[in-house]
Amino acid sequence: MKTNQLPRFAVTLLAGLMALSTVVAWAQSPLEQAESLMQAQRWDAAHSVLQGQMQDASLRSNARAWLVLGFIQKERFKASGASGLEAQERTEAVNSLQRALDLGMLSSRDDRTAREALDFMARTYFREAIERVEGFTLGAEAEIMGLMGRYEAIEQALDPGHDAKAQRADLHRYLGQAHARLLESDRYAGKEDESMLFEGAIAHYESSLNFAPDHYPTLYNLAITLYNHGVRQLKRINHETSMFELMEIQDACVGLFETALVPMEMAHRQRPNRLETLKGLMTIHYALSQPDESDAYKRKIEAVLQKD
Amino acid sequence: MRGCMLVLALVMTGWAWGQSDSMDDTDTRAVTKANFLYHFAASNEWPEEVKSGDFHLTIIGNDRLYEELVDKYAMKMVGAQPLHVNGYSDVSQMPADEFHHLVYCDEGGAELRNLADAVRDTPTVLVSDAPDGLQQGAVINFVALNNRIRYEINTDDAAKKGVLIGIKTMRWAIKQTP
């Protein structure tokens, strides 16, 4: 009989402890429960505990509760692999962290944690924008600009003095290049989308120049995009092209070549001995039937090459 | 710093953002001239004695123009004649005993003059791109007008050769001599 008493006691003790822990858990506030679950990295459980309670008056104005919730939502976003402007977990995390900061009652340590978490979230928008520029497809720019806008808005909120001009200039330039690269592929040749791509490339380069007016690569790439678009029209001339069509195409091309000359000359003024710009000016003047000007740049190229 | 981050991110993705776009190296003037030459060939009325066999369009001194014509226009029909494109680096290489309907000479000056003399009594229409092309004996001469390629015609010389310049060709000429 005595041999059975010990296990019975152990079972009773265990049951008692479990009941006690449940009572203790019940005794914890939702915030404390969520923090405990957060420590155990049980993000979904932590979220379930806290999310539903945030409308409670005591939590609604509790900056730390918003920080904990934002942190949990951040981790849930990371685990979800969600992307895009509509990724709910990300939006929720950003809103919660911003609210935690807006309430202005965080300890300095919590304030730093909230800012770091928010900066992390901002950079997820930024990284995603860049990934989408890299794999750019027609129609993707609204999403890219939206992602970049969110990134900038958060950075601006974290640091009101944040100057995004240089980044904006770069982003527009990269988008200009992305459009121009699609234009160079045969995929859109002669289709309606081709003119959309061309106009998109030019608009992005011009936007980039609004932020950084004298940026050499942007000026050069703008000139090249204009020139190449003219050449693209010319290359479609064949034995079926009538004389009238030839004249029309020539007019359109000359217009593009004349327009290309302006940014190419601006780029050249910045780097007078740069070979690609000298070649660009030589070629554009040649295309504009201006042999004397073209030859002058050809001689400059020869002079630069001799010097090297 | 943030700007650096953008560049860094792009470098890490492996995309060549820093690179400049490359300029299309198509010879734009050759493309336009080739189409003009094809129209000159197709819209003129040639004497009966040269309206059989291949239509010979010959380019002297302009490889890019020759390549453009071969690429897009060779074997296309000029009336009932398939277009044959010939290319020579200079006048001396052109066989003197062969008939060429339309000859484009990139060189001006004495070389053009000599060529004009050589084909004077034949229905060959000589085309040039020289400031004094018509004075040197060409029937049609390319000129630049408002940054565009246009041409002028010596209709008298064409008539003497028995070649009737087509209406479409005449319409777009900037000058007809006399």
Side-chain angles (χ1 to χ4, degrees), chain A residues 189-205:
Chain A
K191 295 179 182 162
E192 199 177 319
D193 289 342
E194 187 183 67
S195 54
M196 273 176 58
L197 281 169
F198 171 68
E199 284 158 19
I202 299 305
H204 280 296
Y205 283 136

Side-chain angles (χ1 to χ4, degrees), chain A residues 176-191:
Chain A
Q177 277 186 277
H179 279 78
R181 284 176 192 209
L182 283 187
L183 262 178
E184 298 299 331
S185 71
D186 290 337
R187 197 167 153 200
Y188 300 101
K191 295 179 182 162

Side-chain angles (χ1 to χ4, degrees), chain B residues 139 153-160 163 165 170 175-178:
Chain B
V139 175
I153 304 177
N154 186 330
T155 45
D156 269 3
D157 272 7
K160 281 178 202 163
V163 178
I165 302 292
M170 293 286 275
K175 192 170 81 175
Q176 296 163 28
T177 303

Side-chain angles (χ1 to χ4, degrees), chain A residues 174 241 250-251 258 286 289, chain B residues 10 29 39 147-149:
Chain A
Y174 300 143
T241 307
Q250 210 184 175
D251 283 349
E258 286 170 342
Y286 174 81
S289 300
Chain B
L10 289 164
R29 286 176 54 79
H39 283 294
N147 299 335
R148 290 151 177 81
I149 299 176

Side-chain angles (χ1 to χ4, degrees), chain A residues 130 133 151 170 174 177 181 205 221 228 235 237-239 241 243 250-251 258 286 288-290, chain B residues 2 6 10 13 16-17 19-22 24 27-29 31 35 39 72 76 147-149 151 172:
Chain A
I130 296 305
V133 177
Y151 163 71
D170 283 345
Y174 300 143
Q177 277 186 277
R181 284 176 192 209
Y205 283 136
N221 285 335
N228 283 358
K235 282 158 89 170
I237 291 173
N238 60 28
H239 69 287
T241 307
M243 194 78 110
Q250 210 184 175
D251 283 349
E258 286 170 342
Y286 174 81
L288 288 171
S289 300
Q290 297 169 347
Chain B
R2 299 268 180 229
L6 178 62
L10 289 164
T13 60
W17 289 108
Q19 288 181 2
S20 300
D21 291 341
S22 54
D24 192 316
D27 186 329
T28 48
R29 286 176 54 79
V31 173
N35 194 258
H39 283 294
K72 288 188 184 168
K76 300 290 183 293
N147 299 335
R148 290 151 177 81
I149 299 176
Y151 55 89
W172 292 102

